[in-house]
Amino acid sequence: IGVDLSPKMVELAAELIVDDGPVPVVKDRMRRCTETARLALGSDRAGGPPKRLYEGVFTGDLLDFASAKCMEGYGHEIQTIPTEPFELIVSADVLCYFGAMDDILQAFAERLQVGGDIIFTTETMPGGDYNWVKLSSSRFAHCPDYVARIAKEAGLSKVSQTAFTPRMEGGEKVLGTLHAFTKLE
């Protein structure tokens, strides 16, 4: 499933399909497709319309899954947020909008099944003594050691933390960290 606070981002996610048909535009890649076009594409495919990337998409706050609203009109199979624990949580270029990580990592840990994994990105800075700091972009940079400490307090075990470039902004590389944690118990 996909969850975002922005209705426009949820709409974009609802339109994502996996391009795996007999003659894909780009094999094993995702692309946007309206529901009408997705259903029309099914006429040439032995297996029916192209598969959606998400089985359900919701507008809501990551700290309050219970109040998330399903995006209507796309025919997704999942219409309500599942209550059972997740096997995997992925959050790319989202947690840079959170300062303190305590609440969000605790919320994720509570929704993760034992043995489940969480993979997410944060922005960082080249150095300095900080846990997290608000940047001029209004996003937050998080020290990887701080993130590891808060994740451990939430009951998550570090798998890896890797420096990488999550995106370019104004022609400059944004510094970031790709984090992977697992829930052992």
Side-chain angles (χ1 to χ4, degrees):
I1 65 168
V3 180
D4 201 295
L5 195 56
S6 165
K8 185 62 180 170
M9 291 304 292
V10 173
E11 183 180 332
L12 292 173
E15 294 177 351
L16 289 174
I17 61 170
V18 178
D19 199 1
D20 62 355
V23 186
V25 175
V26 179
K27 186 170 175 44
D28 296 323
R29 295 289 299 270
M30 60 183 160
R31 63 184 166 110
R32 289 181 55 207
C33 186
T34 65
E35 183 63 2
T36 304
R38 188 185 80 82
L39 292 173
L41 284 171
S43 60
D44 296 335
R45 294 167 178 253
K51 186 173 86 179
R52 288 184 185 83
L53 182 64
Y54 295 101
E55 292 177 358
V57 291
F58 301 83
T59 303
D61 189 325
L62 293 177
L63 294 173
D64 185 18
F65 279 132
S67 66
K69 304 283 187 242
C70 179
M71 175 63 78
E72 304 273 336
Y74 289 90
H76 287 93
E77 294 175 26
I78 297 176
Q79 299 289 312
T80 58
I81 296 280
T83 56
E84 63 272 1
F86 297 121
E87 296 174 14
L88 175 66
I89 296 174
V90 177
S91 180
D93 210 19
V94 172
L95 300 189
C96 58
Y97 295 102
F98 289 81
M101 300 289 274
D102 313 65
D103 291 342
I104 190 64
L105 290 183
Q106 186 63 50
F108 282 172
E110 289 171 2
R111 292 307 310 263
L112 204 58
Q113 72 181 27
V114 173
D117 298 311
I118 176 171
I119 301 166
F120 61 95
T121 63
T122 58
E123 291 187 21
T124 191
M125 296 190 335
D129 183 19
Y130 69 101
N131 287 329
W132 55 271
V133 63
K134 190 170 188 177
L135 303 170
S136 61
S137 64
S138 293
R139 294 185 185 99
F140 293 88
H142 297 87
C143 175
D145 291 339
Y146 163 75
V147 173
R149 187 177 84 246
I150 297 302
K152 184 176 181 179
E153 290 172 8
L156 301 169
S157 178
K158 182 171 84 170
V159 174
S160 66
Q161 290 179 298
T162 307
F164 84 119
T165 302
R167 69 180 174 286
M168 300 291 286
E169 195 168 278
E172 299 289 323
K173 290 181 179 180
V174 172
L175 301 176
T177 304
L178 176 63
H179 305 268
F181 293 89
T182 192
K183 184 175 181 178
L184 296 179
E185 49 186 68

